[in-house]
Amino acid sequence: MTPILHLARGTISMCVQAALEEANLPHRLHWVDFAAGQQRAPDYLAVNPKGRVPALVTDRGVLTETPALLEWIAGIATPRLMPSDPWLAARVRETMSYLASTVHVAHAHKMRGSRWADDPGARDAMRDKVTSNIADCAAYLDAQLDGDWVGRAFGVADLYLWNVACWFPGDGVPLDPFPRLHAHHDRVAARPAVARVIALHTAD
Ligand SMILES: N[C@@H](CCC(=O)N[C@@H](CS)C(=O)NCC(=O)O)C(=O)O
């Protein structure tokens, strides 16, 4: 079967879509409308009981969690989109883990505070921390970049970093003060596969 990517506009599913495009892997898209709450509808929960995107339905089953999806696509792509050297691969995973567990979670404190607190005051307090937390993340990521790409060559971690950094200006952290991160962002966005994804996510 042709894999089906469940995705939503502007979300972390963009980098998985971009990885499928970069790898030239045939796939179909199923858009999940967050405004309509479709991520919590029974038919979507049957696909991903976590009620989140992305989810990829393959002939081997459903795969979720962005780092896992990216790594699987990287492994079946030609050329591979992850380093084969174990040390370099671990360094790339280090960045992907940081994006998943720290940066994405810091960003989610803006719109998804109800995951952590019922008290509106507590949610406001969490939202108030988003800009400074994301600025710290941006500074760290900027300092880590010492070449064109996260690894020695372009790979899925670059798509992940690009996707997460798309949210930074909206979180109150423009990219201009972070020259390496900013240049990386532009470099990834200029790739034809990524430009196709951006066009789909920004279309009216
Ligand atoms: N750990 C998951 C997180 C996925 C996630 O939180 N996705 C967000 C969109 S960026 C989502 O589906 N949110 C829906 C909701 O919270 O209702 C991953 O890395 O794939």
Side-chain angles (χ1 to χ4, degrees):
M1 67 168 282
T2 305
I4 302 169
L5 177 65
H6 294 261
L7 76 172
R9 277 170 80 102
T11 65
I12 201 63
S13 50
M14 289 193 296
C15 61
V16 175
Q17 184 185 7
L20 291 166
E21 291 282 331
E22 286 280 355
N24 260 316
L25 293 175
H27 59 280
R28 290 193 284 133
L29 301 178
H30 176 264
W31 293 90
V32 180
D33 182 353
F34 280 8
Q38 286 178 353
Q39 74 271 37
R40 285 180 286 276
D43 57 343
Y44 186 67
L45 294 176
V47 175
N48 182 6
K50 290 176 275 195
R52 307 277 184 95
V53 295
L56 189 68
V57 181
T58 77
D59 56 5
R60 298 181 67 178
V62 181
L63 190 60
T64 63
E65 300 298 326
T66 303
L69 282 156
L70 291 175
E71 186 139 2
W72 181 65
I73 295 165
I76 61 174
T78 311
R80 297 275 189 265
L81 293 172
M82 280 279 287
S84 52
D85 173 79
W87 171 257
L88 294 177
R91 292 305 305 261
V92 165
R93 284 189 195 105
E94 180 183 28
T95 298
M96 298 214 296
S97 296
Y98 177 69
L99 294 171
S101 63
T102 301
V103 190
H104 192 161
V105 174
H107 164 77
H109 280 70
K110 186 168 87 173
M111 301 295 288
R112 301 289 186 195
S114 60
R115 288 180 194 159
W116 296 282
D118 293 324
D119 173 18
R123 289 190 209 169
D124 287 348
M126 284 191 285
R127 199 175 296 115
D128 288 348
K129 289 288 288 180
V130 168
T131 297
S132 66
N133 282 337
I134 293 292
D136 288 347
C137 295
Y140 170 77
L141 290 162
D142 188 70
Q144 286 298 305
L145 278 166
D146 62 358
D148 281 357
W149 308 115
V150 171
R152 288 217 179 119
F154 169 78
V156 288
D158 296 292
L159 299 170
Y160 202 174
L161 176 55
W162 159 77
N163 194 153
V164 167
C166 286
W167 301 331
F168 289 1
D171 288 343
V173 180
L175 297 184
D176 304 359
F178 306 103
R180 284 184 280 203
L181 185 61
H182 197 174
H184 176 270
H185 198 69
D186 291 348
R187 202 175 295 125
V188 176
R191 297 179 70 84
V194 178
R196 288 197 294 277
V197 170
I198 294 170
L200 276 181
H201 284 258
T202 53
D204 288 337

